[in-house]
Amino acid sequence: MPPADPFLKRIRLKNYRSIAACDVELGRLTFLVGPNGSGKSNFVDALRFTADSLNSTIDHALRERGGVGEVVNRRADSFSVGLDLTLRDGTPASFAFEVRARDDDAYDVSEEECRVGDAFYHVKDGELLASSVTTVMPPPMADRLYLVHASGLADFRPAFDALTSVGAYNLNPSVIREPQHPDRGELLSRDGRNLASVVAHLERRAGGVKRRIEEYLGLVVPGVVGFGSARLGPMDTLVFHQEVEGAREPRRLPAMSMSDGTLRTVAVLVALFQARVEERIALVAIEEPETALHPAAAGVLRDCLREACRHVQVIVTSHSADLLDDADIDGRDIRAVESRRGRTIITPLDEVSRSALLDKLYTPGELLRANQLRAGEPESAQLDMFEGA
């Protein structure tokens, strides 16, 4: 079982895309609720950017997003990410970094700090200012996060492993439908392009988990009684087993014959339940999991989210009143996302919304339909990201 505390307790962002400043505390299951274009995806992308930068390089992560000029808020010349963690053994940790934009789309890591228990380091302007480590530390590099180097040390490795195993998803049925290059299948990719490999990994390692996914899938897509991974030449693909009237056996259908809703449902379920097999995955964030699903499936999706968050921390972005139409979802589970004068605001609900939910006068979905699920007062832009030595 996972630790009682959530893995990611707090996220601070400053000048990350449309988010001028936010300081968000998270629980085991957190809903980011707001209209299209409000900036929900930018919040999730900050988590994805951190994992991408540690798994490869900041340069690669920035280029995938169009360069540093497309990531830093247009009113600023740098952006910052700060994360407060609880590792699986209960050790508190934190990681923060600032990336400064230069001329001609150049950049550097202007400041970075990591703390794991009593261990720490602090880098600023290319200089290692302080460290708890007595051995010789490698010199900082302006275009790399220092945690990549520090991950070779036992003190900092747990934080590196946790942050690189975050799953942040914007699932794409068109990509899932195509034959996929096989890989180890230990972590579902951002858009689901290795879903067939992850399903094969689940089939080998945890048949019970896969059967649980199939049970949920059958509730959302009646008639589908199973699915699996199959080899197609040098590639992998998904196949589905669907009951057909008059047939003695379920019909075997390839992924290319399935609807967007079916493919997204499988990908969402696998994203949520993969942590039952790969325990290093401590957090899963999914953008709009209800997209392309029939509104009647919202209750099944809620049940799935609740079951999954017993094993992995879950963040969901949504603007679906159907998904939130449940009195058991209270104000503590929701962060409201609004766009005010082009800036994204992410806060707990205001006092009126919280009181209405606490008193069970309305469900969050009913408030959302009435446009009464409101954000509270935004955080100041003067966020403290770094503690210093």
Side-chain angles (χ1 to χ4, degrees):
M1 291 294 292
D5 288 335
F7 156 67
L8 187 53
K9 298 173 73 74
R10 180 185 180 202
I11 303 177
R12 289 159 290 154
L13 302 177
K14 186 173 180 181
N15 296 320
Y16 191 89
R17 292 189 157 175
S18 64
I19 303 172
C22 73
D23 188 343
V24 180
E25 294 185 359
L26 302 170
R28 295 295 303 173
L29 173 61
T30 303
F31 294 91
L32 296 177
V33 181
N36 287 330
S38 57
K40 304 185 299 294
S41 294
N42 292 339
F43 183 88
V44 173
D45 188 64
L47 294 174
R48 187 182 298 127
F49 177 87
T50 302
D52 289 348
S53 299
L54 293 170
N55 276 312
S56 57
T57 64
I58 283 187
D59 184 68
H60 177 75
L62 288 172
R63 289 182 184 279
E64 278 200 332
R65 292 160 175 80
V68 67
E70 295 298 318
V71 179
V72 67
N73 189 286
R74 299 191 183 280
R75 299 178 177 91
D77 60 4
S78 67
F79 67 87
S80 304
V81 177
L83 308 171
D84 292 350
L85 323 171
T86 299
L87 302 178
R88 284 196 176 272
D89 63 359
T91 302
S94 63
F95 179 60
F97 62 92
E98 179 181 52
V99 176
R100 179 169 49 204
R102 299 289 194 181
D103 294 334
D104 301 323
D105 209 31
Y107 68 92
D108 60 33
V109 181
S110 53
E111 192 165 4
E112 180 183 343
E113 185 177 82
C114 183
R115 295 175 179 271
V116 181
D118 294 328
F120 68 91
Y121 69 76
H122 186 198
V123 173
K124 188 171 184 178
D125 294 326
E127 180 183 354
L128 182 61
L129 296 182
S131 171
S132 62
V133 179
T134 57
T135 58
V136 176
M137 297 278 280
M141 300 177 66
D143 63 341
R144 303 290 176 96
L145 289 177
Y146 195 71
L147 183 56
V148 176
H149 301 299
S151 66
L153 302 171
D155 287 337
F156 301 107
R157 184 72 191 200
F160 176 85
D161 287 343
L163 291 170
T164 53
S165 299
V166 166
Y169 298 106
N170 185 0
L171 298 162
N172 185 343
S174 297
V175 171
I176 296 168
R177 188 174 283 113
E178 296 297 321
Q180 303 175 354
H181 292 282
D183 66 17
R184 297 176 65 182
E186 294 177 346
L187 177 65
L188 184 64
S189 60
R190 174 187 65 85
D191 56 5
R193 66 179 59 245
N194 68 335
L195 179 58
S197 294
V198 178
V199 169
H201 184 62
L202 290 177
E203 289 174 329
R204 292 191 300 268
R205 292 280 307 277
V209 172
K210 181 173 174 289
R211 285 191 293 274
R212 186 60 173 154
I213 294 173
E214 289 172 333
E215 289 173 2
Y216 274 116
L217 180 62
L219 294 174
V220 176
V221 188
V224 174
V225 296
F227 70 99
S229 176
R231 184 54 58 92
L232 186 65
M235 309 290 277
D236 284 342
T237 189
L238 289 176
V239 292
F240 293 81
H241 305 286
Q242 188 166 20
E243 292 178 333
V244 178
E245 186 176 359
R248 299 178 62 181
E249 298 291 336
R251 185 179 178 186
R252 189 174 185 269
L253 297 172
M256 64 182 64
S257 299
M258 308 306 290
S259 69
D260 284 4
T262 299
L263 296 177
R264 278 187 58 86
T265 298
V266 171
V268 167
L269 293 170
V270 170
L272 291 170
F273 283 94
Q274 62 183 330
R276 299 273 293 271
V277 180
E278 295 295 332
E279 294 186 356
R280 65 193 177 94
I281 303 172
L283 183 145
V284 169
I286 305 179
E287 297 185 45
E288 315 290 353
E290 73 281 357
T291 300
L293 296 186
H294 191 280
V300 177
L301 180 56
R302 281 196 306 272
D303 291 343
C304 177
L305 292 171
R306 288 195 176 104
E307 180 175 342
C309 76
R310 300 172 195 161
H311 301 273
V312 65
Q313 187 179 12
V314 178
I315 300 173
V316 169
T317 74
S318 180
H319 59 269
S320 168
D322 295 307
L323 182 61
L324 298 171
D325 228 352
D326 190 329
D328 289 334
I329 301 174
D330 63 29
R332 292 171 296 182
D333 301 326
I334 298 174
R335 300 294 176 266
V337 186
E338 296 181 5
S339 180
R340 300 179 184 175
R341 296 184 297 277
R343 294 192 176 194
T344 296
I345 305 300
I346 306 175
T347 73
L349 299 177
D350 67 4
E351 183 61 34
V352 174
S353 299
R354 290 200 305 271
S355 295
L357 297 178
L358 183 64
D359 294 338
K360 305 292 184 181
L361 300 177
Y362 303 94
T363 69
E366 290 169 337
L367 290 181
L368 184 59
R369 289 190 187 95
N371 197 29
Q372 296 299 313
L373 203 62
R374 301 290 181 81
E377 288 302 311
E379 297 291 334
S380 166
Q382 303 300 317
L383 290 177
D384 293 326
M385 293 285 180
F386 306 97
E387 297 181 31

